[in-house]
Amino acid sequence: MWSSFWRPRDRFSLDELRYLIDQLQKVQIVNNVNKNFVIEALRSISELITYGDQHDSNYFDFFMERQVMGEFVRILKVSGTVSISLQLLQTMSIMIQNLKSERAIYYMINNEHINILITYSFDFRNEELLSHYISFLRLISGKLDKNTISLLVKTQNVALTSSFEYYLLMGSTETEILGHLEEVVSFPLYVEAIRFASNEDSMIRTAVRALTLNVYHVGDESVNRFVVKAPQADYFSNLITFFQKQCIYLNGLVSETLKNPNSHTTTAIVNAVDEIEDNLYYISDVISAGIADVGRLITDNILQLLIFPLLLPSLQLDAVNDIQIGASTSLYLLCCILRIVKIKDLANTIAASLFCPPEAFVSDSETTLKGYVPDHGHETQQTENKNVIEVDGCSNNIMPSLSSSSPVHPEDIISKGVSRLTLRDALLSYITAGDDLQVLSSLSMLTTLLQTKELDATMLDALGILPQRKQNKKLLLVILKLNQFSSSQQQALVGEDSREDQFFLSGRGFIRDGFSCELDGYLQNLKVLDALVTLFCRSNISPETLWDGGWLLRQLLLYSEAEFNNQHLELLRDLYKNCTSALLEEARGTWPDLLVTVLCDEWKRCKRAMEAPSPRKELKCMFLPLDKPSFDDVLPSESSFVAGERMCKVVKVFVLLHQLQIFSLGRALPEQPPTCPPSKIPENSRAGNAGLDVSGPKLGSELRLVDAVPCRIAFERGKVRCFYFLAISVGASGWILLAEELPLKKHYGIICVVAPLAKSDPAIDQKYSRWLHLQIRPSTLPFLDPAKFITHGKAKTKAPVDGRWTLAFMDDESCKSALSMTLEEIDLQSNEVEKRLKPLLNHEGAIDVPDTSTHPPEASSSTATPSNSL
């Protein structure tokens, strides 16, 4: 054997292939002596077969003639080593992936040896071997079509007489009848792959799912019937069970983050959410294959294993010890399912469940779901222990039939009367009394229901979230039907013939008791409006969440405030009045110089949010507010940073209420808020006398020292410096300046220090009357520049700190003069801000702006930091 190595051979030649196969056939057992040769031979054969497929068909003819596939199986059985198994799987994968010839592909698949390799008992304790094995199976699935899939399955004929007559009566062709009469009894590729569907390795799970999708999308009827039979049908229940564990894991992360927020748990939440959504998209892809039995089986499993026993019971307001998941996480998952898994029956069943009390879904015994057993084309489902509830003494099945012949209708549940608190009421209770996350989750749920196209308009109306445009259409259709207009006349007058029109025209539910159902729909809509108006009155909810509530309100209301009752209008006007007062307080607060800028920016952001197709682009956003800005230091309530956050919140709430008022008046929202332009600098002002322009002071620039007061200050211990003190306001901005006098230019100086004027809180020292204390806040708010502010996953940052200055003047009069100058400029700055806001506060339809004092409020206590005083 070894003498043949001396013969020169072309590496890519038929002789080389013949030599390798000859030597491989001589191997009786694989040991340490010949192991490396066998591995190299297997690798080289795959290269030669791939080369021959592209250049010379004789290569593959020789491969078939010598029955090399059988040799592969024999070598595998006599090796017993992982390295040979690895190389053999690689060799097969390379050939299957790269062969382009249809004849070659058919030969590779139409061979009993391929199923032997698929079912071979590999040592899967080796992770690398398992990875190559799953990759091998996935590559085979990529070659499947209606012709090749039959080569990998074993079938048997079913009874002919009754079945043949049934399909003949149904108008099937002879070919179609024969397809129905063949039942798949074995499909190793599929069965072996789904064994690893719940593997810990995400790459393996992804490969298995890709394989199953390749099988489902072939569209072979006999294979489709095979995958929904027991025990293969367990794959779908196991899939939902695995998904259920991921949901419980996510809830644990959310609960932990609520107790101890940090960047690590937030990152873990994002990763868990991504995996959950990936799983749902896979389920959606499976359903898109169009296998009716698979769709119904998945729907039943989602309802019986996830929604009924886990998600819906968690929505009850009173905490229960055995509930495994929180309300917010449950609502997020329901939103994901509705948005991603687009099944009409599933969506309507979830919506109909909201009319039941939460305790109705707590099953007394374990729920069991069997597989589907198709009976000659009739898809039937077998379930045990369906959840049954009692409403006012009437037993109702909350798991209605999911077949197309038995659609879910809300009146089937509502007509029985529900006296207890329902899940719909729980959602509204979370909005009116829950925490920020619960409010956001409930709003997301209502928004998702509103935007779910698979949901019947009857459901939206029963839930009280049918938009006014559709409500008006429905009311018009009711009136037309009561006046005995024909269907064609009704559609002509309405002007559309959409899907929801068919529900309205059908007379089911809406015309049941004349206008009584109209009253029911109005009352439910009123409950939602009540909850949203109450939400706007809550001060402990983040403005972004209130914006989501504003978006939902905008969808529900007609472009007129006529839909608001007097109580709604009174609450909103009182709220707007209080918010306007709070905004004017901010004009004399810590950040008046940024107030107009922030208001204009938030106006544009709120307008985009209100007019957007949906309030949030991604559902995972509801968990991101859990990651609060994190600092090394705990900020006191007097901190200017805390005041800045409060100012931004006041502005956001004011902008929302203002835009809702404009919307209620039926007018379009302007691109910018109606504010006055900045005022010009008066000639007799301190800024004008100092020679400053609208751009403000700049370090190192020259100015006239008119009204400037000489003083001393030490920014470092033992280093006292002499300056001229000057307080100046230009429009809505203001500064405290310290300048050094130019020695050769009398009454002129160079600006050395610039600090914000607002919130300086000037105060003369009670013991030393020549000392003036000033509080100096940062020049800007870090969170107004997202690029420079903390982002998710980063470490803690240093909190912004307010400084303190203590200035020493020559005498008491100079100190009082500096105090008076500072207070006057603060007042001018605040007056300018109020002037610029006046058109916004006096818009048509708004309340009267309350009168405010022209004097600044009493100086509040400030953050204590080491002072640099004399």
Side-chain angles (χ1 to χ4, degrees), residues 457-458 461 466-485 490-491 493-494 500-501 503-511 513-522 558 563:
T458 55
D461 191 49
L466 185 68
Q468 281 293 331
R469 176 183 62 82
K470 294 184 178 181
Q471 288 191 31
N472 293 339
K473 180 192 296 185
K474 181 196 69 175
L475 181 58
L476 176 58
L477 288 167
V478 171
I479 295 174
L480 293 176
K481 185 156 188 174
L482 290 176
N483 286 277
Q484 298 182 347
F485 281 74
Q490 294 172 24
Q491 293 174 4
L493 290 172
V494 170
E500 62 264 21
D501 293 344
F503 287 103
F504 298 149
L505 291 169
S506 67
R508 180 177 175 91
F510 291 113
I511 322 296
D513 297 313
F515 284 98
S516 63
C517 195
E518 288 299 315
L519 180 60
D520 292 340
Y522 172 78
L558 189 64
E563 290 298 325

Side-chain angles (χ1 to χ4, degrees), residues 543-773:
E544 290 76 13
T545 301
L546 296 180
W547 284 8
D548 287 347
W551 181 91
L552 181 59
L553 181 65
R554 186 176 185 271
Q555 304 302 310
L556 301 180
L557 286 180
L558 189 64
Y559 293 94
S560 169
E561 56 183 355
E563 290 298 325
F564 283 119
N565 59 31
N566 291 334
Q567 184 180 6
H568 293 155
L569 291 173
E570 184 178 354
L571 285 173
L572 287 176
R573 283 170 179 161
D574 288 344
L575 181 60
Y576 183 82
K577 183 176 180 179
N578 294 335
C579 199
T580 300
S581 299
L583 185 70
L584 290 175
E585 288 179 7
E586 294 297 333
R588 297 188 175 277
T590 306
W591 298 92
D593 47 340
L594 297 181
L595 183 59
V596 177
T597 300
V598 171
L599 190 143
C600 292
D601 292 341
E602 296 301 334
W603 180 278
K604 290 184 288 187
R605 291 183 62 238
C606 186
K607 182 177 184 295
R608 287 196 300 268
M610 292 283 284
E611 296 177 349
S614 60
R616 297 287 178 104
K617 290 185 178 180
E618 296 183 3
L619 283 172
K620 69 178 70 174
C621 292
M622 70 171 59
F623 292 125
L624 296 184
L626 296 175
D627 190 12
K628 301 293 185 182
S630 183
F631 299 103
D632 291 327
D633 306 320
V634 178
L635 297 177
S637 58
E638 300 84 3
S639 168
S640 62
F641 184 83
V642 175
E645 289 184 320
R646 182 177 61 249
M647 180 268 291
C648 289
K649 180 175 181 178
V650 168
V651 169
K652 290 176 180 179
V653 176
F654 172 82
V655 166
L656 170 65
L657 296 175
H658 192 96
Q659 292 191 5
L660 284 177
Q661 285 207 16
I662 294 177
F663 162 70
S664 68
L665 294 173
R667 297 186 301 187
L669 296 176
E671 293 296 328
Q672 294 285 347
T675 58
C676 284
S679 302
K680 296 181 179 179
I681 300 178
E683 294 182 0
N684 59 347
S685 65
R686 287 191 176 89
N689 294 335
L692 298 179
D693 56 22
V694 292
S695 62
K698 296 179 179 60
L699 288 175
S701 61
E702 184 179 296
L703 82 163
R704 290 192 293 269
L705 298 177
V706 181
D707 294 335
V709 183
C711 66
R712 292 180 298 167
I713 187 173
F715 290 110
E716 298 179 48
R717 185 178 296 276
K719 294 184 179 181
V720 180
R721 299 180 62 182
C722 297
F723 292 105
Y724 276 85
F725 173 86
L726 191 63
I728 286 180
S729 65
V730 177
S733 301
W735 303 272
I736 293 174
L737 307 179
L738 298 180
E740 289 184 338
E741 186 178 21
L742 291 173
L744 301 180
K745 196 171 183 180
K746 194 174 182 180
H747 302 304
Y748 281 83
I750 297 296
I751 300 176
C752 299
V753 182
V754 179
L757 174 65
K759 198 54 179 178
S760 55
D761 290 339
I764 296 176
D765 190 89
Q766 295 181 357
K767 186 175 181 181
Y768 302 100
S769 58
R770 293 183 298 128
W771 288 9
L772 181 66
H773 298 293

Side-chain angles (χ1 to χ4, degrees), residues 588 823 826-827 830 853-858:
R588 297 188 175 277
L823 293 175
I826 290 176
D827 191 57
S830 299
S853 173
T854 57
H855 300 288
E858 184 179 350

Side-chain angles (χ1 to χ4, degrees), residues 173-193:
T173 64
E174 183 177 351
T175 302
E176 293 172 338
I177 293 174
L178 292 176
H180 284 291
L181 297 179
E182 287 187 350
E183 291 294 336
V184 174
V185 294
S186 175
F187 189 6
L189 176 68
Y190 180 82
V191 171
E192 294 299 321

